């Protein structure tokens, strides 16, 4: 068990950040899945910028690796273009 005030605070803040990261990561994964299942090009083009934004934010906060975000954006762009 932590003995210092700062260590207790760090435990609390780490848990809050972990839950926030988990929520944002899951939300992004669901948005990617939704985009991949779309058949309508117009709807996919409308959703694509928001998914890219989500991926950029996750990469910026180091929830996912920057290269993984880049690879996902590339594959999603190809998917939308192919519709």
């Amino acid at each position: 068990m932590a003995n210092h005030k700062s260590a207790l605070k760090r435990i609390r803040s780490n848990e809050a950040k972990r839950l926030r990261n988990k929520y944002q990561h899951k939300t992004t994964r669901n948005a990617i899945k939704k985009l991949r299942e779309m058949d309508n090009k117009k709807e996919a083009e409308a959703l694509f910028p928001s998914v890219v934004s989500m991926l950029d934010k996750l990469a910026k906060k180091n929830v996912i690796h920057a290269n993984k975000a880049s690879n996902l954006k590339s594959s999603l762009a190809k998917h939308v273009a192919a519709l």
Side-chain angles (χ1 to χ4, degrees), residues 36-51:
R36 283 203 174 118
E37 291 172 353
M38 281 189 173
D39 295 329
N40 188 347
K41 184 168 183 152
K42 209 165 195 101
E43 289 177 15
E45 285 176 339
L47 182 65
F48 181 68
S50 64
V51 173

Side-chain angles (χ1 to χ4, degrees), residues 1-19:
M1 185 62 197
N3 291 321
H4 296 285
K5 233 179 178 178
S6 60
L8 294 170
K9 182 177 178 181
R10 175 62 69 189
I11 289 168
R12 288 195 307 270
S13 65
N14 283 346
E15 180 64 12
K17 288 174 186 173
R18 183 185 72 83
L19 292 173

Side-chain angles (χ1 to χ4, degrees), residues 35 41 48 71-83:
L35 183 61
K41 184 168 183 152
F48 181 68
N71 289 335
L72 284 169
K73 288 190 290 185
S74 174
S75 68
L76 290 172
K78 283 181 186 176
H79 172 72
V80 171
L83 289 177

Side-chain angles (χ1 to χ4, degrees), residues 23-61:
Y23 171 77
Q24 290 174 343
H25 195 190
K26 186 65 175 173
T27 304
T28 305
R29 286 200 308 261
N30 287 337
I32 290 170
K33 196 180 292 185
K34 184 179 174 187
L35 183 61
R36 283 203 174 118
E37 291 172 353
M38 281 189 173
D39 295 329
N40 188 347
K41 184 168 183 152
K42 209 165 195 101
E43 289 177 15
E45 285 176 339
L47 182 65
F48 181 68
S50 64
V51 173
V52 167
S53 174
M54 290 170 147
L55 287 168
D56 287 336
K57 285 176 187 172
L58 288 180
K60 183 179 178 183
K61 294 176 184 174

